[in-house]
Amino acid sequence: MSGQHDKTSVAAISILASGGMAAAKFVVGIAIGSLALISEALHSSIDLVATIITWAVVRVSDKPADDEHHYGHGKLESISALGVTALLYVLAGGILVESYSRLREGTPPPTISAVPFVVLVADIAVNLWRARALHRAARETRSQALAADALHFASDVMGSFAVIIGLILAALGFWWGDAAAAAAVAVMIALLGLRMAGSTVQTLVDRAPEGAQEKATAAIRSVPGVIDVERLRVRMVGATTFIDTIAKVPRTYPIDRVEEIKRKAQAAVDKAFGDADLTFTPVPVARNNETVRDRIMVIARNSSLAIHHVTVHDLGAKLIVSIDLEVDAEMQLEAAHDVANTLERNIQEEFGEDVEVDVHIEPLEPELPFGVDAAPERVQAIAAALTEYAAGGEIHDIHNVRVRNTDAGEIVNFHCRATPSMSVIRVHEHVDAIERRLRRAFPSVKRVISHAEPPRA
């Protein structure tokens, strides 16, 4: 909101300055009969019209996107700049025609006095100040309309110098000096219009800003998880850089991790461009370092199947895969068998018909039923048993023992400690042995959940 306030404030001040200087130059030009000064006054009048348009446009261009303008209203600035360019060419043509007429007919030179020089010097000072203020505001807000306005006032300085030179020539007796200065002003206006038209048309036809594609590609590629950028397109709408990209991400990543990549990509382009709007389309691809187990997990996830205990045996000429497949406990065997067969076929399509796949069907573990904490003496009895079973072994410091009574039986949770250098499989074997002894000693225990951790530092 502050950016819009800055743009409108600078534009409003420029309106007052343009109007005052244009009127002063026009009155003096008529009084002394100087075509050059009148031409410069008309140029300033066009600038006044342009500034009024700019002031009106920037109040609209910063409005957010709506149902009818999905990319916002920034293109209004480009359209207004194109309209001002057309006005400049009309003015330049008129001045050139009048200058040629005066040079051909030998029109008497203007009356020279100190007044036009004072007006022109003041005009140069005002235009330099306005051009600097507008250029700074345009750079900060990335406004094409303000940038065009700043260019106008910078050209006015050159035009004023040309008029001064023409008046000096006329004062020295060169009758053609004033008309020649007017023609020079017209040429400057035409060159300014050409420069403005080129920049504005490029924006309107959605030409990507110089170096924007490379900058955006580098920013997105820097995001962890992005393998490569397949396609990237950039367009400017007002001060906003719109980026549309298709990026490759690992197919093994879950959806929430891909969403995190998208958020980081948006942050990266915001940092690179300031005001950026990113459309990020992820394409899951296989990486060269995917294992057989990774590929099988992707196949199962794409079919919304719950699998675990994936075992892979590579016999060189043959691949053997064993999988535990969890299905609804109430599902009929025939339907469950069809699900398993479909999974097997999908794996064979991935690895070849000669792969051997064994699928063990088991009931999907239901959510733990509602329960209540067991009595303290029951918790103490189970905790004592766990400590006894771990005594003398590599698992020690049984703690944080919790017992809950449920309709399905008792659920036991406990923490324990093990040597940090132990492998996960060894820890699992030792803890599993303790769990089996507990279930044998306490038949009502339905499930035991353990958490092994290294000793405290």
Side-chain angles (χ1 to χ4, degrees):
M1 190 71 180
S2 60
Q4 183 181 16
H5 177 72
D6 291 342
K7 289 197 287 187
T8 54
S9 296
V10 172
I13 293 173
S14 294
I15 290 175
L16 298 176
S18 295
M21 294 312 304
K25 286 187 287 187
F26 191 78
V27 170
V28 174
I30 292 293
I32 67 174
S34 171
L35 175 62
L37 194 53
I38 294 172
S39 299
E40 186 59 24
L42 292 174
H43 185 195
S44 295
S45 299
I46 294 293
D47 286 344
L48 174 61
V49 173
T51 306
I52 293 174
I53 294 173
T54 300
W55 180 76
V57 166
V58 295
R59 295 174 66 86
V60 179
S61 63
D62 278 351
K63 289 184 177 180
D66 53 33
D67 292 339
E68 295 180 349
H69 306 88
H70 298 177
Y71 290 92
H73 302 77
K75 283 291 178 70
L76 287 174
E77 294 195 10
S78 301
I79 294 173
S80 71
L82 201 60
V84 171
T85 302
L87 290 176
L88 289 174
Y89 273 110
V90 171
L91 174 62
I95 294 173
L96 283 174
V97 169
E98 181 63 23
S99 298
Y100 175 73
S101 175
R102 291 200 176 196
L103 288 172
R104 185 183 62 183
E105 297 174 1
T107 303
T111 303
I112 305 299
S113 68
V115 175
F117 292 99
V118 172
V119 171
L120 288 168
V121 170
D123 183 60
I124 290 173
V126 171
N127 283 331
L128 284 175
W129 171 81
R130 287 188 298 172
R132 181 180 178 185
L134 283 166
H135 181 71
R136 182 170 60 250
R139 185 176 63 250
E140 292 174 354
T141 61
R142 303 177 71 183
S143 168
Q144 192 173 38
L146 285 184
D149 221 10
L151 195 58
H152 280 166
F153 296 136
S155 71
D156 281 353
V157 173
M158 301 301 298
S160 296
F161 275 118
V163 175
I164 290 175
I165 293 173
L167 292 176
I168 292 174
L169 289 173
L172 294 176
F174 299 97
W175 64 270
W176 47 263
D178 183 65
V185 170
V187 171
M188 290 180 188
I189 293 173
L191 292 176
L192 169 66
L194 183 64
R195 179 178 175 182
M196 281 183 55
S199 173
T200 303
V201 169
Q202 287 179 8
T203 301
L204 288 173
V205 298
D206 288 333
R207 179 176 179 178
E210 189 72 27
Q213 186 175 39
E214 293 77 11
K215 185 192 295 187
T217 301
I220 294 173
R221 279 180 176 161
S222 69
V223 176
V226 173
I227 297 175
D228 197 9
V229 174
E230 185 174 297
R231 190 193 72 187
L232 188 139
R233 296 184 294 192
V234 182
R235 65 184 297 202
M236 289 293 298
V237 179
T240 303
T241 305
F242 285 86
I243 303 169
D244 180 4
T245 186
I246 297 176
K248 297 178 180 179
V249 298
R251 64 175 184 170
T252 55
Y253 280 9
I255 294 176
D256 56 347
R257 189 165 181 183
V258 174
E259 286 298 315
E260 179 64 21
I261 292 174
K262 291 171 67 174
R263 287 193 293 271
K264 289 183 178 179
Q266 178 66 63
V269 296
D270 280 340
K271 182 178 180 181
F273 292 92
D275 182 10
D277 189 305
L278 175 66
T279 300
F280 185 98
T281 303
V283 176
V285 296
R287 291 183 294 181
N288 295 332
N289 61 349
E290 279 187 2
T291 65
V292 173
R293 183 176 285 103
D294 288 336
R295 294 163 70 181
I296 292 173
M297 296 300 291
V298 169
I299 293 170
R301 186 170 66 245
N302 289 344
S303 301
S304 300
L305 297 178
I307 67 172
H308 65 279
H309 202 196
V310 179
T311 305
V312 180
H313 299 278
D314 189 352
L315 303 182
K318 191 172 186 179
L319 192 66
I320 301 175
V321 178
S322 300
I323 303 171
D324 285 356
L325 170 65
E326 299 180 51
V327 299
D328 187 347
E330 301 300 325
M331 182 181 289
Q332 295 183 356
L333 177 60
E334 183 178 12
H337 188 259
D338 289 341
V339 173
N341 282 342
T342 301
L343 177 60
E344 291 178 7
R345 286 195 302 271
N346 290 340
I347 294 174
Q348 288 171 344
E349 289 177 2
E350 176 78 12
F351 295 97
E353 291 293 334
D354 57 342
V355 63
E356 182 180 312
V357 184
D358 293 314
V359 178
H360 168 63
I361 303 173
E362 61 179 49
L364 183 66
E365 192 70 30
E367 293 186 8
L368 293 178
F370 176 77
V372 296
D373 290 335
E377 55 270 17
R378 181 64 173 177
V379 176
Q380 292 173 2
I382 290 178
L386 287 171
T387 303
E388 177 187 346
Y389 302 151
E394 297 190 71
I395 301 298
H396 59 280
D397 189 14
I398 304 294
H399 61 283
N400 198 16
V401 179
R402 288 149 292 153
V403 182
R404 296 191 307 278
N405 293 323
T406 72
D407 293 338
E410 291 178 304
I411 308 297
V412 177
N413 297 71
F414 72 92
H415 288 200
C416 61
R417 301 191 187 279
T419 304
S421 59
M422 286 180 67
S423 65
V424 173
I425 185 63
R426 276 187 65 194
V427 172
H428 177 75
E429 289 172 350
H430 285 283
V431 173
D432 193 50
I434 294 173
E435 292 175 0
R436 286 197 301 272
R437 289 186 65 182
L438 183 68
R439 283 195 295 270
R440 286 196 299 268
F442 297 86
S444 60
V445 172
K446 169 66 177 177
R447 189 176 179 190
V448 181
I449 304 168
S450 61
H451 172 71
E453 53 195 15
R456 294 192 187 93

